[in-house]
Amino acid sequence: MEQILHNQKLQKSLSAEALISRIRSAFQDIPDHRADICTISLTDALMSGFAIFGLKFPSLLQYDQKRTDPKTQHNLKALYGIENAPCDTQMRKILDGVNPDELRPAFKNIFSVVQRGKKLEPYVFMDGYYLVSTDGSGYLSSDKIKCSQCCIKKSRDGKETYYHQLLSAVIVHPDKKQVLSFAPEPINKQDGETKNDCERNASKRLLSDIRADHPHLKIINVADSLSANAPYIRYLKSLNMRFIIGVKPGDHKYLFEIVEESVKNGTIEEFEEVDNNGIVRRYRFINNVPLNKENSDVCVNFLEYWEINKGKHLHFSWITDFTLSRDNVFMIMKGGRARWKIENETFNTLKNQGYHLEHNYGHGEKNLTTIFLLLMMLSFLVDQVQEIGCSMFQQAKQKEKSKKSLWESIRALFRCFYVASWYDLFASLTYNQFGGKLVPICP
């Protein structure tokens, strides 16, 4: 009985109500940057922005058109604890002045709940380590609208394009579709700088923040060949992080020359295996080779992999700080290939499955674009956590067949009924039993 009650408590801690309560608590700790006494609290403004992405409104205008309806006001309070929702113009003005760093504790709060709920343990990859995939993506671009943090690209004819990018880091696992996101790092023009920011600088800020927030987390960073350089590897080591990083012959000529020389000399190990499904896997690996000529003190272990499956040929290569052997190259290969989950399960989901990553919700003059990005990623994290830990969310998603359909059904109930709680909303979606749980709006 005690175990059942314990499991129920853990399940409840991963419900929408509990997760959103955690986020609201983190927002309440953020100091209000406005000097005047305001009718709309900063917490309500932040929670309203979070609700837009939680409910997957495709635009601020659609949110604003519904904001003054009695049902919307009731449901925003019942589901998000919002006492006084701002209009779209007020929201943009308030959020533009928020320091993006102040939103990081909300991500950490959710991460802590996942740990206590025992839902992080299944993401252990090997030797107690977690795979953290990092990659960048553009999300806003305009030749007219700009802010002080826009990066600028100039074409040959002198035309300027203003753009924003982000660097994301997510915990991935080769056997799991869901990912767990840390607070992303904006690739913005930094205060007082005239040059554009870059992914390499952003990665240092991001990884440093992750280590500060999670000092004891055992991390394997999986990244693309852009990160396969000596300064990046030295920085990972300074943060006590391991790595599996992709490399390419065109970008790492010296390394591949050493590999080819080792093949000729017979000092590299190679073997092939065929599994029960007829998939052919061929491995080539060597330990303790210099990454490049200029940084001979930075030695890495090199793995090359070929796969043949029903006539389809795949080829990959990585560097790592794990000593390679026949016993672990299969796992290192799986870890390296798991990097793509940041593309497929993160950026693709954010762009094409209802989050509208590339839509301009508001550019602002200072931090608005970044704040909206963080609120979107926070909503994405909450959805992923519910998908791995909340049975009510899982059942509703299964009933609706797809995420897009789920978001549409949630918005439909939000518009048409007085909703008492997230539990009632998901129960209504799953069992089609409205009864007294959801009260329809009279015309």
Side-chain angles (χ1 to χ4, degrees), residues 31 57 99 109 195 203 241 244 265 299 379 388 390-391 398:
F57 277 107
N99 182 348
N109 279 3
K195 294 183 179 180
S203 67
M241 294 183 183
I244 305 173
N265 297 337
C299 290
S379 169
I388 64 175
C390 177
S391 62
Q398 185 177 9

Side-chain angles (χ1 to χ4, degrees), residues 57-115:
F57 277 107
S59 69
L60 272 183
L61 177 62
Q62 190 175 111
Y63 151 81
D64 201 48
Q65 289 172 340
K66 302 293 182 183
R67 178 183 60 86
T68 57
D69 288 351
K71 61 183 179 301
T72 298
Q73 294 176 346
H74 173 275
N75 292 342
L76 284 174
K77 183 175 181 180
L79 300 180
Y80 293 97
I82 298 168
E83 297 287 345
N84 191 6
C87 69
D88 57 345
T89 302
Q90 290 172 312
M91 185 189 302
R92 289 189 180 101
K93 184 177 180 181
I94 296 169
L95 298 187
D96 194 35
V98 176
N99 182 348
D101 288 340
E102 301 284 3
L103 270 65
R104 273 179 45 211
F107 287 85
K108 186 177 178 180
N109 279 3
I110 300 301
F111 193 90
S112 298
V113 172
V114 175
Q115 280 186 307

Side-chain angles (χ1 to χ4, degrees), residues 355-370:
Y355 294 87
H356 310 288
L357 174 63
E358 295 172 307
H359 176 73
N360 183 10
Y361 283 85
H363 210 107
E365 297 179 357
K366 192 176 181 183
N367 298 323
L368 183 62
T369 296
T370 301

Side-chain angles (χ1 to χ4, degrees), residues 10-11 14 19 110 113-115 117-123 171 176-180 381-391 393-394 397:
L10 292 179
Q11 175 76 210
L14 298 169
L19 296 172
I110 300 301
V113 172
V114 175
Q115 280 186 307
K118 305 299 182 182
K119 294 301 180 180
L120 190 62
E121 292 176 2
Y123 281 83
I171 292 180
K176 294 186 178 298
K177 189 173 183 179
Q178 294 77 26
V179 302
L180 299 172
L381 174 60
V382 167
D383 293 339
Q384 295 285 292
V385 171
Q386 288 187 91
E387 201 165 345
I388 64 175
C390 177
S391 62
F393 182 93
Q394 293 164 0
K397 180 175 176 289

Side-chain angles (χ1 to χ4, degrees), residues 420-432:
S421 68
W422 281 104
Y423 180 91
D424 292 345
L425 188 149
F426 287 136
S428 298
L429 285 175
T430 303
Y431 305 114
N432 293 326

Side-chain angles (χ1 to χ4, degrees), residues 1-9:
M1 176 60 74
E2 287 185 7
Q3 184 62 42
I4 292 174
L5 292 174
H6 179 66
N7 291 339
Q8 289 176 342
K9 185 177 180 180

